[in-house]
Amino acid sequence: MKALIVDDEPLARRELRRLLADFDWIEIVGEASNINEAQKAVDTLAPELLFLDIQMPGGSGFDLLTRIEHVPRVIFTTAYDHHAVHAFEVNALDYLLKPIEPERLASALSRARDAASPAGSGNVASARVAGQSVESVERLFIRDGERCWFVPLREVCLMAAEGNYVRLHWHDARPLLARPLSSLEERLDPQRYFRANRRQIINLEFIENVELGSGGLLHVQLRGGPEVEISRRQARLFRAQMSV
Amino acid sequence: MSSNLETGLAARAALAYWACQLLGWGINLFGQLSSAASTVGQPLATAVIEVASLNALALIFTHQLRKVVKRHEWHQLPLSSLLPRMVASSVAMALPLAILMHFMTVANMWSGSIQQIEQLPGIVSWIGAIDPLLLRTINWSAVLFLWVVLYLCITSLRDRRSVELRQSELKRALQTAELRVLKSQLNPHFLFNSLNSVRALIADDPAAAQRAVTQLARTLRYTLRSGHEELVSLERELEIVEDYLELESLRLGDRLRIERRVSVPADRTRIPVMLLQTVVENAIKHGIAELPEGGVLSIRAELRESTLIIEVENPRPAASAPATNEGVGLRNAAERLNLLFGNDAGLQLDLSSPALAVARIHIPQTT
């Protein structure tokens, strides 16, 4: 499993490297000392696992995650950060406190491996093994106030524009993504997602039933989500694509 | 928190006061009614109205007296001056009631007991025989005196309890504050990062690891001791600052560059303990550690006309608005400085240039 270490302190990176030497299935593909370096490293090296410090000069670990396109699996590391640890705990994120205890590292790594195994879901590596398109298992990191989420895109049933932001309908949560709907649309698999109208993109796998509306409109009921109206223009496309 | 507690207590005290007032005068009312019924053969309805209005008046009088007691702080008085006031106020309130009774059908409700009073020895029987007005006055005075005694007893008991409560509250708040100060002085972020550095060094450079442990121990010991002494020599404080800076250098590597210019007889110069340390910590935490390229931390100290001037200068992130918690450590340090040296001493943080922070300390030196 390809791993990237992101920490501003050289000694902390060295220490983590040594701790990881005991795990031969972990391949450390690079290090970064700030989030700009880290962003480049993620793009070029495509790590599957990220060891991510929170407090760094020039931007926090959370900032990095909202910036990168393809979010790998993340294990947060921090020495002492009351707020971050609170965020990890309420959101059930994987984190390690420095100095890192080898036992805790081992259990975090085994969780990462379980998630990456073909039986697990939602990981780039497993998708490649299974021959699925990478896009279909992409995850988004969203920080909305105190709460944060790793949201697997395939589990999102509806994306609705709210100004320059996007409200995601994901199970019972409604996190707000700080980017415009159009930039999100570029990343989506057109086989799976459909632009219903100017403001909404729906996940086709969540469609429960479709009803004809007046004036050529279509009403789509989404499983675990609201009813969405497909505009007249898009309705033609929709019929063609779904052959209804 | 304590003001909430106090309003809660005050509301409960007011409720208890009115409950006691109504209950007490209610009991008195029924007592008087029963004696009126047995002694005065009146239509009872008139007697009820009369006795009820007398007791209502008594309630109003005692409520006014309560204000006097509070305003003139009777609780603080010694018994020798309290007792005459209690008697005088009881009689003063009793007199109008006794006079008013004179015009009522229940005027002679206590006259029935004159025979009994006559059997009493000495002055009481004499007074009772002489004047029904005096008898009524004495009767009311006794009731009202009882009221004053009860009121003073209950309120002083309550006051003592609330004082105790407030003291324990205060003690707890003080302990919390002390704990918070200690925690901020221990600087947990630095502590755990340093421990992590030491862990890394143990395998790579055991000698450096040993040195780091010693420095960490010295820094911690100095921080813990700082609660016991107010002033130290600049020399002593600089030693600890050096220990601290070496530990930070382990973490920050070549991002931390240090410049020192101390032209002061540091062994004879006195400064508040942990003052310079706090300022330097602040410079690193909010300045150099926030910059990807790091920068130069400059510590300067000189003596100008028997005033010690210390300047700590560091680069800072350009766009940084002063964070909310940034000033707390420095503000505490400045307050402590003023407490120890008055307004001749001071600590200012100069953020006038966009990418630089300069903390300036001036402390008068007596020797």
Side-chain angles (χ1 to χ4, degrees):
Chain A
M1 188 181 248
K2 287 177 3 180
L4 179 73
I5 298 175
V6 185
D7 197 310
D8 62 321
E9 296 179 18
L11 277 179
R13 295 198 296 271
R14 210 196 298 176
E15 170 67 7
L16 184 53
R17 216 175 236 283
R18 191 185 7 262
L19 284 166
L20 287 171
D22 291 342
F23 303 88
D24 53 5
W25 53 276
I26 296 278
E27 179 202 353
I28 299 165
V29 293
E31 290 183 4
S33 66
N34 59 56
I35 69 168
N36 291 329
E37 279 178 34
Q39 191 175 2
K40 277 189 214 113
V42 169
D43 287 346
T44 55
L45 304 170
E48 295 148 90
L49 181 62
L50 212 57
F51 289 95
L52 186 56
D53 190 18
I54 297 301
Q55 286 196 1
M56 285 181 290
S60 75
F62 291 131
D63 294 336
L64 172 71
L65 292 178
T66 52
R67 272 199 219 169
I68 53 182
E69 291 288 321
H70 309 284
V71 180
R73 189 165 174 96
V74 178
I75 297 174
F76 293 100
T77 62
T78 188
Y80 182 88
D81 185 336
H82 190 70
H83 297 292
V85 169
H86 182 67
F88 302 150
E89 278 166 359
V90 298
N91 297 292
L93 305 178
D94 234 336
Y95 70 97
L96 296 168
L97 292 173
K98 293 186 277 190
I100 293 165
E101 295 170 33
E103 298 77 22
R104 293 212 47 183
L105 176 65
S107 63
L109 284 175
S110 75
R111 275 194 298 277
R113 183 153 66 172
D114 290 348
S117 70
S121 65
N123 186 279
V124 176
S126 66
R128 279 181 187 142
V129 169
Q132 289 173 287
S133 74
V134 171
E135 280 74 18
S136 65
V137 292
E138 256 191 45
R139 301 193 305 163
L140 291 167
F141 179 79
I142 300 178
R143 192 154 200 229
D144 191 354
E146 193 179 66
R147 316 224 279 159
C148 24
W149 293 271
F150 285 106
V151 179
L153 266 180
R154 64 191 305 170
E155 292 176 17
V156 175
C157 71
L158 174 67
M159 300 159 208
E162 284 188 13
N164 268 332
Y165 291 1
V166 181
R167 178 77 64 189
L168 302 181
H169 291 239
W170 174 55
H171 300 298
D172 292 332
R174 299 286 178 268
L176 195 63
L177 179 66
R179 58 167 80 179
L181 188 62
S182 53
S183 88
L184 188 61
E185 192 178 16
E186 292 162 12
R187 298 177 53 184
L188 299 174
D189 176 7
Q191 296 300 309
R192 193 184 290 270
Y193 302 94
F194 184 80
R195 184 96 183 203
N197 51 56
R198 251 169 7 93
R199 289 183 49 248
Q200 291 170 310
I201 295 175
I202 57 173
N203 186 338
L204 297 176
E205 297 201 337
F206 279 79
I207 292 179
E208 220 161 46
N209 64 65
V210 183
E211 276 174 29
L212 279 169
S214 59
L217 295 172
L218 289 173
H219 295 287
V220 175
Q221 178 61 50
L222 295 172
R223 179 161 37 88
E227 194 186 85
V228 174
E229 196 177 77
I230 299 184
S231 67
R232 206 171 336 146
R233 219 183 96 218
Q234 293 300 95
R236 247 174 278 138
L237 279 172
F238 184 79
R239 283 159 194 261
Q241 189 171 340
M242 304 292 282
S243 33
V244 289
Chain B
M1 190 176 75
S2 76
S3 75
N4 260 348
L5 183 87
E6 268 165 36
T7 48
L9 280 180
R12 260 175 50 198
L15 199 71
Y17 164 75
W18 282 110
C20 288
Q21 275 281 46
L22 291 173
L23 188 73
W25 290 117
I27 290 170
N28 191 52
L29 181 127
F30 278 105
Q32 289 182 352
L33 270 182
S34 68
S35 83
S38 62
T39 54
V40 193
Q42 303 301 325
L44 210 60
T46 324
V48 169
I49 293 170
E50 285 175 354
V51 173
S53 44
L54 283 170
N55 277 284
L57 209 56
L59 192 150
I60 294 169
F61 283 172
T62 50
H63 186 59
Q64 296 306 313
L65 180 70
R66 177 177 179 244
K67 290 180 185 167
V68 175
V69 170
K70 279 184 171 176
R71 192 179 319 132
H72 297 282
E73 295 179 334
W74 282 22
H75 288 97
Q76 313 294 331
L77 296 175
L79 198 63
S80 58
S81 39
L82 181 59
L83 206 58
R85 280 175 173 80
M86 290 164 74
V87 173
S89 59
S90 306
V91 174
M93 291 186 294
L95 207 58
L97 291 168
I99 293 169
L100 200 63
M101 252 179 117
H102 181 72
F103 304 101
M104 290 179 168
T105 54
V106 291
N108 294 316
M109 61 186 269
W110 287 309
S111 309
S113 51
I114 280 180
Q115 286 81 22
Q116 292 155 30
I117 290 168
E118 275 169 346
Q119 288 158 24
L120 291 171
I123 193 156
V124 178
S125 65
W126 180 71
I127 291 168
I130 287 175
D131 192 354
L133 180 68
L134 204 56
L135 178 69
R136 287 197 294 271
T137 309
I138 290 171
N139 248 313
W140 274 110
S141 295
V143 172
L144 290 160
F145 186 76
L146 186 67
W147 186 96
V148 177
V149 169
L150 283 175
Y151 178 77
L152 289 172
C153 283
I154 292 170
T155 49
S156 55
L157 269 178
R158 185 204 61 198
D159 285 355
R160 188 178 309 164
R161 255 192 29 220
S162 89
V163 163
E164 277 166 9
L165 199 70
R166 205 169 321 169
Q167 271 169 351
S168 74
E169 191 81 2
L170 208 65
K171 208 164 136 191
R172 207 163 49 216
L174 212 66
Q175 281 168 346
T176 317
E178 268 174 11
L179 207 66
R180 203 174 310 137
V181 168
L182 192 67
K183 200 167 143 190
S184 76
Q185 281 180 348
L186 280 178
N187 194 353
H189 185 78
F190 158 75
L191 181 59
F192 288 112
N193 272 316
S194 296
L195 286 172
N196 197 38
S197 306
V198 170
R199 200 175 198 283
L201 283 175
I202 285 171
D204 289 353
D205 190 347
Q210 285 170 347
R211 203 163 54 240
V213 168
T214 309
Q215 283 162 342
L216 195 56
R218 280 210 295 246
T219 314
L220 286 179
R221 190 165 292 127
Y222 188 77
T223 305
L224 291 172
R225 273 191 58 85
S226 69
H228 304 294
E229 45 193 336
E230 298 283 13
L231 296 175
V232 289
S233 67
L234 178 61
E235 188 181 30
R236 179 86 186 90
E237 179 94 353
L238 277 171
E239 280 170 21
I240 284 309
V241 169
E242 287 301 324
D243 280 337
Y244 167 75
L245 286 175
E246 271 191 52
L247 287 166
E248 288 286 34
S249 295
L250 285 181
R251 297 206 300 123
L252 301 172
D254 50 14
R255 283 166 57 210
L256 174 60
R257 279 134 4 230
I258 304 161
E259 218 179 69
R260 307 167 186 83
R261 233 169 41 224
V262 179
S263 55
V264 179
D267 55 329
R268 279 183 285 124
T269 313
R270 310 246 115 206
I271 65 166
V273 65
M274 290 292 286
L275 177 74
L276 184 56
Q277 170 64 18
T278 306
V279 172
V280 169
E281 256 179 48
N282 201 69
I284 292 195
K285 193 173 170 195
H286 302 290
I288 287 155
E290 290 287 315
L291 295 164
E293 284 78 37
V296 177
L297 174 84
S298 160
I299 302 174
R300 299 184 290 267
E302 59 171 323
L303 215 51
R304 264 184 234 157
E305 293 164 4
S306 79
T307 295
L308 172 68
I309 313 277
I310 305 176
E311 286 188 339
V312 176
E313 186 183 294
N314 62 278
R316 64 186 173 110
S320 78
T324 45
N325 61 343
E326 186 169 332
V328 175
L330 283 190
R331 204 163 50 239
N332 287 343
E335 271 170 23
R336 204 153 49 91
L337 195 56
N338 285 340
L339 276 176
L340 287 168
F341 290 92
N343 288 331
D344 296 339
L347 162 59
Q348 290 92 32
L349 186 63
D350 179 0
L351 297 174
S352 56
S353 60
L356 217 58
V358 187
R360 288 197 186 84
I361 303 166
H362 56 103
I363 305 171
Q365 298 292 312
T366 44
T367 47

